[in-house]
Amino acid sequence: MLNKILVALDVESRAEALGLADALRGSVGGFKIGSRLFTAEGPSIVRALAERGDRVFLDLKFHDIPNTVATAVAAATQLGVWMVNVHAAGGLVMMRAARTAAHDAAEAHKLTPPLVIAVTVLTSMNQAALRETGIIIDLMDQVLRLAELAKEAQLDGVVASPRETAAIRSRCGPGFAIVTPGIRGGAAAASKDDQERTMSPADAVAAGASYLVVGRPIIAAPNPREAAEKIAAAVNR
Ligand code: C5P
């Protein structure tokens, strides 16, 4: 059975990240490494987890010219990551270059290509913030447009807020991965922290999420493994 829970290792140091991964290994589906931990500790933390057999989602949201993104995705592939992401706003050519690079690098190094997924509109943006950047269409329409563009580029899926998940699922079909953060309540700790639009683990999966990114409800719990197992039991069926 595929474990849908991806734990955000939002910690400062390699030691803390490895400690959490050791505590959680076997109870979750993978670990997300974001720009904070990666910038502080570098690629060795990715290698360390990959060498232990963990699935690593490298959440660096690449957004650059196609050649630069392609070479970055190739480098991530060689590190052994299982999932990597780019900004869909980088465009069709950039996303196609990312996918091709993942497959070419995997073939050259006899590895499995990572899933390449796209960020649509950052969930920290609202309609007014989007407008300030010159995008004047409805925010949800922009999310769906970018999700469809990612699909056209043959990417494996998108990152989406819980409230976007159902619309993307119905627009992009069953084979498209939707990775959903903002998980609170139900089997997860209810404290919202700085998340505004949240959904319980079971509701997010019912709305069509393929994977749930969960940080603080697991990593800040008194017993992270117990918290992870409780959430996993609510969604992995
Ligand atoms: O602690 P929490 O469960 O809120 O962590 C969620 C993780 O997902 C964090 O790493 C956060 O940066 C990330 N994320 C998010 N909302 C998005 C995209 C990513 O919370 N829209």
Side-chain angles (χ1 to χ4, degrees):
M1 180 186 54
L2 190 66
N3 192 315
K4 298 184 179 73
I5 310 300
L6 307 179
V7 176
L9 294 177
D10 293 331
V11 292
E12 247 173 55
S13 71
R14 176 190 168 88
E16 276 177 280
L18 292 179
L20 269 171
D22 286 344
L24 293 168
R25 189 163 295 119
S27 65
V28 298
F31 299 107
K32 181 173 88 70
I33 294 180
S35 37
R36 174 191 181 189
L37 184 60
F38 190 83
T39 305
E41 295 287 2
S44 81
I45 182 69
V46 178
R47 263 190 225 108
L49 293 177
E51 277 165 10
R52 288 161 171 78
D54 294 331
R55 297 198 303 191
V56 177
F57 168 18
L58 187 61
D59 177 23
L60 297 182
K61 303 183 180 70
F62 296 134
H63 188 173
D64 211 315
I65 58 172
N67 181 61
T68 301
V69 168
T71 48
V73 168
T77 304
Q78 287 180 59
L79 280 177
V81 309
W82 161 77
M83 178 183 273
V84 61
N85 59 3
V86 302
H87 267 285
L92 193 59
V93 172
M94 189 207 81
M95 286 193 279
R96 282 192 175 133
R99 182 185 189 273
T100 302
H103 284 255
D104 289 353
E107 201 181 311
H109 298 273
K110 300 194 175 20
L111 297 162
T112 308
L115 297 170
V116 183
I117 64 168
V119 176
T120 58
V121 177
L122 291 169
T123 50
S124 53
M125 305 277 284
N126 59 19
Q127 192 71 57
L130 198 63
R131 201 184 170 83
E132 281 166 2
T133 71
I135 294 164
I136 55 171
I137 68 168
D138 180 71
L139 191 149
M140 184 59 91
D141 289 340
Q142 178 68 356
V143 167
L144 292 172
R145 172 190 290 221
L146 290 174
E148 283 186 316
L149 200 63
K151 195 175 173 187
E152 193 182 333
Q154 291 186 284
L155 293 201
D156 298 290
V158 289
V159 184
S161 86
R163 72 164 190 180
E164 296 160 357
T165 302
I168 294 171
R169 176 59 69 217
S170 90
R171 188 72 73 93
C172 295
F176 201 59
I178 303 178
V179 180
T180 307
I183 302 301
R184 292 294 186 280
S191 161
K192 286 198 167 184
D193 304 306
D194 55 354
Q195 297 282 11
E196 287 295 333
R197 297 182 300 273
T198 62
M199 212 181 257
S200 77
D203 287 348
V205 169
S210 318
Y211 299 99
L212 307 181
V213 171
V214 186
R216 288 160 290 183
I218 292 176
I219 68 172
N223 183 335
R225 191 176 179 99
E226 223 168 70
E229 281 171 351
K230 192 172 160 206
I231 298 172
V235 299
N236 293 324
R237 15 176 132 249

